[in-house]
Amino acid sequence: MDTVIGVQYEGGVILAADQSNARSILTYQSNLDKITKLSPSSALAVSGPNSDLVNFSEYISKNISLYQLSNDGLQLSTHAQANYCRGELATALRKGPYQVNCLLGGYDAPSGKGKGSLYWMDNYAALSKVNYGCQGYASNFCLSIMDRDWTEGLDQDQAVAIVDKCIRELEVRFVMSQPNFIVKVVDKDGVRTLKFGADPADN
Amino acid sequence: MSYDRAITVFSPDGHLFQVEYAMEAVRRGSTAIGIRGKDCVILAVERRALAKLQDPRTIRKIVPVDSTTTLAFAGLTADARVLINKTRTEAQTYRLTCEDSPSVEYMSRFIARTQQKYTQRGGVRPFGIATLIAGFGLNDENEQVPVLYQTDPAGTYSSWRAQVIGGRNAKSLREFLEKNYNDDMGMKEATKLAVQALLEVVDSGAKNMEICVVKGAGEKHTMTEAEVAVVVKEIEAEIEEGKQQKTSTSS
């Protein structure tokens, strides 16, 4: 029921996720931040039940911190982080699967690729590098918009415009009401929040 | 042969010889000094002369174990690597379960607990290292204050205002620190004291020392060789001045 959207552009990645935390007929909160910072230049947007969402993203982010601390500050590339994530999902798959679907977006400094990369991962531990992607019912509505509008060499504003268009489409056509979305950008200056519907820090 | 027999057993007169031999291994390591100033902790280590073909940047004696805790060790480098890896994992596990950064005291307690475990288990020997752990913690008035802990192969740990581990001259260096330490030292003073103490054991100055200033809130700064050389020059100038004064008053 969650919506997670990601768009890669020249210089980074935009990640967006809805902010509702709900189960059955009850909404627990509507200011949840489902996008976790993994490293100074990568973030993981996760959809799924809140327990797995939080457990999985915290576990991955702490392990990536451990790697960096243990390796003299060496940053893992986005490709490595995505494959690590997938590996954890795969290991858990036949034991106690994480029911999470994620989009991992990261920026690699010029010595690597000098651009943003986006990885699509599902709860069966399938991994694919994509230019844009969605998780959840949103994909039924938004993939066609991104198919039409995404091109190589977008800038940040154009990428955010595509994400906004997707969100507006969901507001009109998706049966569930998702009033709040949080949008983050991952680029050479790190991970930061561009806008949110409700402040995740509000208690 | 079953490995349930402990290697560290008591001697008739109550000694744990393996632990004492481990402490001897620490003494054979290169010196590490920790000094707690009023707003910083200085970790200073002796960088023993390396083989010409060796890359000095890959020899790390002052390492981060967490974003807010720094560690220096003396003794067997390989043992240190293993213990430091365990400690780093523990720090992240703490962060995962408690959603908070572990205190320096917690990390020291963990290291000490681990070192002790290896003196009381079958088939293992103690770690041949002593560690100095530096960082910031909260005092009774909830203010951030610098803290320095030391652990040894026996598994004891305690907080120190200044301490020396490793090297043959640890005892005399400790006496030097006791004589010259005062509670109110700022960053410059504490650094100078650390360099002064290291100069007593180190061969030839700045290039054989590594000095790290832990400033608080996860900030730390490893001094460049040039910066250390400046402090060394200052100290040497003072010594010269002292000598000059002596000769002028005596003649």
Side-chain angles (χ1 to χ4, degrees):
Chain A
M1 245 69 81
D2 312 318
T3 298
V4 174
I5 302 169
V7 177
Q8 183 255 339
Y9 65 93
E10 191 71 36
V13 178
I14 305 289
L15 290 171
D18 78 297
Q19 291 187 271
S20 68
N21 181 5
R23 197 165 73 171
S24 176
I25 57 168
L26 183 61
T27 302
Y28 294 116
Q29 76 184 112
S30 42
N31 66 343
L32 180 62
D33 183 359
K34 299 179 188 173
I35 307 176
T36 314
K37 177 175 154 171
L38 292 183
S39 74
S41 56
S42 64
L44 185 70
V46 186
S47 85
N50 192 247
S51 52
D52 284 350
L53 189 157
V54 170
N55 247 354
F56 182 70
S57 49
E58 285 187 354
Y59 175 69
I60 296 293
S61 84
K62 295 296 181 276
N63 269 288
I64 289 183
S65 300
L66 180 62
Y67 180 91
Q68 284 171 175
L69 212 54
S70 308
N71 288 281
D72 217 25
L74 184 74
Q75 312 274 46
L76 273 175
S77 66
T78 312
H79 175 81
Q81 290 181 22
N83 276 279
Y84 169 69
C85 245
R86 190 214 85 85
E88 289 296 328
L89 283 170
T91 308
L93 185 60
R94 288 174 212 272
K95 293 184 191 166
Y98 291 105
Q99 291 167 0
V100 296
N101 295 298
C102 5
L103 284 174
L104 195 157
Y107 174 83
D108 296 293
S111 61
K113 295 283 166 74
K115 51 192 345 219
S117 36
L118 181 64
Y119 289 84
W120 183 100
M121 240 173 297
D122 78 357
N123 56 322
Y124 297 110
L127 173 71
S128 176
K129 184 175 190 301
V130 294
N131 290 319
Y132 50 83
C134 301
Q135 295 285 10
Y137 288 113
S139 43
N140 298 63
F141 304 95
C142 303
L143 279 178
S144 38
I145 297 176
M146 296 195 272
D147 280 340
R148 198 169 39 178
D149 286 355
W150 192 92
T151 55
E152 191 72 49
L154 292 169
D155 66 23
Q156 186 182 316
D157 289 329
Q158 289 171 314
V160 176
I162 294 179
V163 170
D164 281 339
K165 213 171 172 184
C166 294
I167 293 172
R168 269 198 306 270
E169 185 67 22
L170 289 170
E171 278 168 20
V172 173
R173 291 302 177 191
F174 187 33
V175 67
M176 288 199 52
S177 162
Q178 295 177 315
N180 298 319
F181 273 82
I182 185 166
V183 183
K184 294 195 181 178
V185 59
V186 183
D187 63 10
K188 63 174 171 36
D189 297 323
V191 179
R192 61 187 183 285
T193 308
L194 281 181
K195 51 189 170 181
F196 49 69
D199 192 347
D202 278 342
N203 255 345
Chain B
M1 172 170 177
S2 72
Y3 287 97
D4 56 1
R5 195 170 81 78
I7 290 177
T8 312
V9 289
F10 280 113
S11 70
D13 58 348
H15 289 238
L16 286 172
F17 278 123
Q18 281 300 304
V19 174
E20 293 183 12
Y21 298 159
M23 293 187 182
E24 182 58 33
V26 170
R27 255 168 251 131
R28 294 186 60 185
S30 51
T31 311
I33 299 177
I35 297 183
R36 190 181 84 191
K38 69 170 192 284
D39 57 0
C40 66
V41 187
I42 313 290
L43 288 174
V45 301
E46 171 197 358
R47 242 203 305 231
R48 285 234 176 104
L50 299 166
K52 272 201 192 143
L53 294 172
Q54 204 171 25
D55 184 348
R57 288 170 305 170
T58 56
I59 312 256
R60 285 276 132 98
K61 280 200 63 172
I62 305 180
V63 296
V65 295
D66 184 33
S67 54
T68 53
T69 312
T70 313
L71 180 148
F73 65 89
L76 300 170
T77 314
D79 282 10
R81 193 180 61 232
V82 168
L83 191 57
I84 287 167
N85 277 338
K86 281 185 202 282
T87 312
R88 284 173 168 161
T89 309
E90 176 63 21
Q92 292 307 312
T93 307
Y94 184 98
R95 279 173 181 271
L96 187 58
T97 49
C98 304
E99 203 156 308
D100 192 13
S101 58
S103 63
V104 180
E105 199 262 334
Y106 178 88
M107 297 270 61
S108 314
R109 200 168 354 121
F110 171 79
I111 294 172
R113 193 189 325 140
T114 309
Q115 287 189 282
Q116 193 280 340
K117 238 184 242 185
Y118 278 67
T119 69
Q120 215 178 5
R121 246 178 66 185
V124 299
R125 60 163 177 79
F127 287 97
I129 63 165
T131 68
L132 286 171
I133 303 128
F136 276 71
L138 289 174
N139 67 359
D140 292 331
E141 283 92 39
N142 258 341
E143 304 163 332
Q144 285 279 342
V145 288
V147 290
L148 174 69
Y149 281 86
Q150 183 235 352
T151 72
D152 66 12
T156 48
Y157 80 101
S158 53
S159 170
W160 290 75
R161 281 139 68 211
Q163 174 63 303
V164 183
I165 52 173
R168 292 270 159 225
N169 306 329
K171 195 153 175 285
S172 60
L173 278 183
R174 214 168 287 132
E175 283 165 11
F176 174 84
L177 285 178
E178 280 174 19
K179 208 161 53 161
N180 292 300
Y181 181 88
N182 64 70
D183 275 319
D184 231 358
M185 291 193 287
M187 219 170 292
K188 223 166 162 264
E189 253 192 284
T191 312
K192 202 166 112 183
L193 182 60
V195 174
Q196 245 175 319
L198 258 192
L199 277 174
E200 309 263 323
V201 283
V202 153
D203 288 336
S204 48
K207 67 175 163 52
N208 289 330
M209 298 187 208
E210 193 182 324
I211 320 269
C212 180
V213 183
V214 180
K215 284 190 254 194
E219 256 190 80
K220 65 186 218 291
H221 168 67
T222 308
M223 292 174 72
T224 62
E225 207 179 299
E227 291 170 334
V228 179
V230 166
V231 183
V232 170
K233 256 209 172 116
E234 209 183 297
I235 295 170
E236 287 177 344
E238 282 179 11
I239 297 177
E240 265 309 306
E241 224 184 281
K243 277 199 202 141
Q244 298 262 0
Q245 283 203 350
K246 258 201 175 149
T247 48
S248 64
T249 51
S250 64
S251 66

